[in-house]
Amino acid sequence: MPKDIISVEGKLTPLSSKTHITYQFHLEDALSSLEIDFRYAPKPFLDKEASKPLILEAIESYSDPAWAELYKKQWENYYPLQNLLTLSLDSPSGFRGSAHRHAPEQRHLICPDVSKTSPGFIAGDVPSGIWKITISVHCVVTPDCRYELSVRGTGR
């Protein structure tokens, strides 16, 4: 039966974009596996009127000036905008992987079995010590975005 290690939730705003939130947890004993559940909402920003200036600003900032006017005329091709949050995991001995996926609901498993460990993570022992899980807040375009993160462990 998995044991709860951490369970957190938070609220982000557009000012949170391009930041990182790191949670640390200490495992007193080695475990056979870690399970990570992560979800955030909303995913899309469905306010078309509020999205238009954001899209036009991004086109102005990031596109080749020779193409900018054409892209601006086709701004609706970039609608809807979406929030993007991703995860990375570090063990006491270093990087254990990342889940840079667009899905707003994710479940990941880290264990010694390569066939069971989630893609993007390094299979192996789950040793005792300080672990870190980082939420990379790439972009929040909605007025607010809520997330939930939980980590559970299964003993040996």
Side-chain angles (χ1 to χ4, degrees):
M1 176 98 171
K3 176 185 167 190
D4 290 338
I5 296 170
I6 63 169
S7 182
V8 294
E9 49 187 67
K11 178 181 167 184
L12 305 167
T13 69
L15 292 174
S16 306
S17 296
K18 299 180 184 176
T19 64
H20 303 279
I21 302 164
T22 300
Y23 293 98
Q24 294 188 84
F25 55 93
H26 180 259
L27 297 181
E28 289 187 29
D29 300 308
L31 299 174
S32 60
S33 68
L34 280 181
E35 298 174 11
I36 300 168
D37 282 315
F38 178 60
R39 62 184 47 84
Y40 63 94
K43 178 65 176 172
F45 186 33
L46 298 175
D47 184 335
K48 199 169 191 177
E49 185 177 317
S51 294
K52 183 176 181 179
L54 298 173
I55 294 169
L56 294 176
E57 180 183 331
I59 290 170
E60 190 69 35
S61 296
Y62 300 111
S63 65
D64 183 328
W67 294 93
E69 289 310 311
L70 174 62
Y71 293 151
K72 286 179 186 178
K73 290 177 186 173
Q74 300 171 353
W75 73 269
E76 290 183 44
N77 290 344
Y78 304 101
Y79 176 82
L81 296 174
Q82 298 184 40
N83 293 325
L84 178 60
L85 282 63
T86 61
L87 293 178
S88 299
L89 181 68
D90 292 282
S91 74
S93 58
F95 181 72
R96 283 300 290 268
S98 60
H100 286 191
R101 298 166 179 58
H102 286 265
E105 293 191 24
Q106 303 174 25
R107 174 167 279 170
H108 306 290
L109 178 68
I110 293 82
C111 67
D113 188 336
V114 172
S115 68
K116 292 181 182 175
T117 295
S118 297
F121 292 95
I122 299 168
D125 290 335
V126 180
S128 63
I130 302 294
W131 287 70
K132 296 178 186 175
I133 189 162
T134 301
I135 301 171
S136 294
V137 184
H138 298 277
C139 186
V140 175
V141 291
T142 55
D144 64 62
C145 178
R146 296 187 179 277
Y147 69 86
E148 297 174 11
L149 172 68
S150 65
V151 179
R152 289 177 306 287
T154 303
R156 291 184 163 195

